Amino acid sequence: MEFLKLKSGTDIRGVASDGVAAEPVTLTDEVVEAIAASFLVWCERHLEKTSAGLRVAVGHDSRISADRISACLKRVFLCYGVHMLDCGLASTPSMFMATMDLPCDCSVQITASHHPFHRNGLKFFTGEGGLDSPDITEILQGAQENAKPGVLREGVYERVGYMSAYAERLRKTIQEGVRAEEYEHPLHGFHIVVDAGNGAGGFYATEVLAPLGADISGSQFLEPDGRFPNHIPNPENEEAMRSVSQATVRAGADLGVIFDTDVDRGGAVDKAGEEINRNRLVAIASAIALEDNPGGTIVTDSITSDGLKDY
């Protein structure tokens, strides 16, 4: 196994489930366990802590291979003294915030983003943010060389309901940002359709928007299903955008929102079902960010066009 073939930018990704012709499983138990051990070596080197002193949170999206990969991480982490905090079904942004809220030294999200059901992968976070490309290379090279922490010690396994706390954090952020007269329910009177594509994003409708007063009737595919039976959970997919557009118009909603599998990307449509494109979304987010930072500079990436400056 050539581990570096699993590198995908700042992620590790591979085939994790059978079922697709000519695509053999590359994220086997042995491969995942080797990566997990090498990650602990990376932590010891860069966080200057022994593995036996680490608190590591683990979450996953709705893919069918998630439980198997999580079990692989658990086996390795508990061999080397790690206190593993199992967050279960979680979004990728929540697993970064977990490093501060739980708190923990680092976190791992099991996801392959918008990729098909049979693929999966790993994303890593510390309190400084996501690991970068050179870090992923270092971890994969270590796995190739069978790098492991030097001391075996029994770890601790703990299940934590972090997503409830994360949803509460999101609600408070919205309440504080909107400062509505009806403070507890700033979205009262708004009708918002959420399409989670059977990924991990259903919580956003039921635990964030609805408690804030929004009408979420007409929302669809909120139940996690790692085979994604309704459409690919990808805001850049034409079929997926057509699905949320139709659902929004059908429900007579003010806004439609769609997420990818691990909820680190989203798309939106207006009440007419017309897509609010990347430029417009970035422009809206920029205006909000600049409200409390007058004269600030907004940095975007190559997915936006020069037309953004016109907004």
Side-chain angles (χ1 to χ4, degrees):
M1 172 66 193
E2 188 176 339
F3 280 78
L4 282 176
K5 289 184 177 180
L6 298 173
K7 183 179 179 183
S8 177
T10 57
D11 295 357
I12 291 171
R13 288 181 185 163
V15 177
S17 301
D18 292 317
V20 176
E23 292 199 40
V25 173
T26 54
L27 284 177
T28 63
D29 287 7
E30 294 74 18
V31 166
V32 175
E33 289 173 7
I35 292 170
S38 181
F39 171 61
L40 294 182
V41 173
W42 182 94
C43 289
E44 290 187 331
R45 182 178 298 125
H46 293 273
L47 301 182
E48 299 181 347
K49 281 189 173 184
T50 64
S51 60
L54 291 173
R55 286 168 58 89
V56 182
V58 176
H60 61 79
D61 67 21
S62 61
R63 295 171 192 281
I64 60 175
S65 55
D67 288 341
R68 176 181 68 82
I69 294 176
S70 183
C72 291
L73 297 180
K74 178 181 177 182
R75 283 195 293 272
V76 173
F77 290 170
L78 296 192
C79 277
Y80 294 105
V82 171
H83 185 160
M84 175 174 160
L85 304 163
D86 188 347
C87 297
L89 185 71
S91 69
T92 290
S94 76
M95 294 311 297
F96 167 61
M97 297 306 299
T99 62
M100 292 172 276
D101 288 345
L102 288 177
C104 55
D105 299 289
C106 45
S107 62
V108 185
Q109 172 73 343
I110 302 167
T111 182
S113 189
H114 59 282
H115 285 244
F117 80 95
H118 66 296
R119 300 185 67 82
N120 215 330
L122 301 166
K123 296 177 72 76
F124 305 96
F125 298 95
T126 70
E128 300 297 315
L131 268 60
D132 213 341
S133 178
D135 301 309
I136 301 303
T137 297
E138 182 179 335
I139 291 169
L140 290 173
Q141 286 178 336
Q144 189 78 60
E145 297 163 4
N146 201 29
K148 298 177 181 178
V151 179
L152 291 171
R153 186 175 298 175
E154 185 176 356
V156 176
Y157 175 77
E158 179 183 356
R159 290 184 182 274
V160 294
Y162 175 63
M163 284 303 292
S164 294
Y166 177 69
E168 181 180 2
R169 170 190 269 270
L170 293 181
R171 294 196 300 270
K172 286 183 177 178
T173 298
I174 293 170
Q175 288 167 339
E176 292 169 0
V178 175
R179 303 186 188 110
E181 183 175 342
E182 190 178 350
Y183 185 82
E184 295 294 324
H185 302 101
L187 300 183
H188 178 73
F190 287 94
H191 188 175
I192 304 172
V193 162
V194 174
D195 183 329
N198 302 113
F203 83 96
Y204 195 78
T206 57
E207 296 185 45
V208 179
L209 299 181
L212 292 177
D215 177 356
I216 61 167
S217 61
S219 293
Q220 58 185 14
F221 316 140
L222 303 183
E223 305 79 13
D225 185 334
R227 290 192 176 274
F228 313 132
N230 293 292
H231 63 69
I232 296 172
N234 180 4
E236 296 182 10
N237 177 266
E238 186 175 327
E239 178 188 1
M241 290 305 299
R242 184 164 57 248
S243 178
V244 70
S245 175
Q246 292 171 346
T248 301
V249 173
R250 185 167 57 245
D254 301 300
L255 182 71
V257 180
I258 184 171
F259 296 112
D260 70 346
T261 319
D262 61 326
V263 208
D264 65 351
R265 290 189 303 135
V269 297
D270 62 21
K271 63 182 180 181
E274 295 296 321
E275 183 177 354
I276 302 174
N277 68 22
R278 291 165 172 163
N279 280 356
R280 292 169 68 192
L281 281 175
V282 173
I284 291 169
S286 299
I288 293 171
L290 291 173
E291 284 182 355
D292 296 322
N293 298 280
T297 299
I298 301 297
V299 179
T300 66
D301 62 17
S302 58
I303 67 167
T304 54
S305 75
D306 291 340
L308 181 61
K309 66 180 183 291
D310 297 328
Y311 283 94

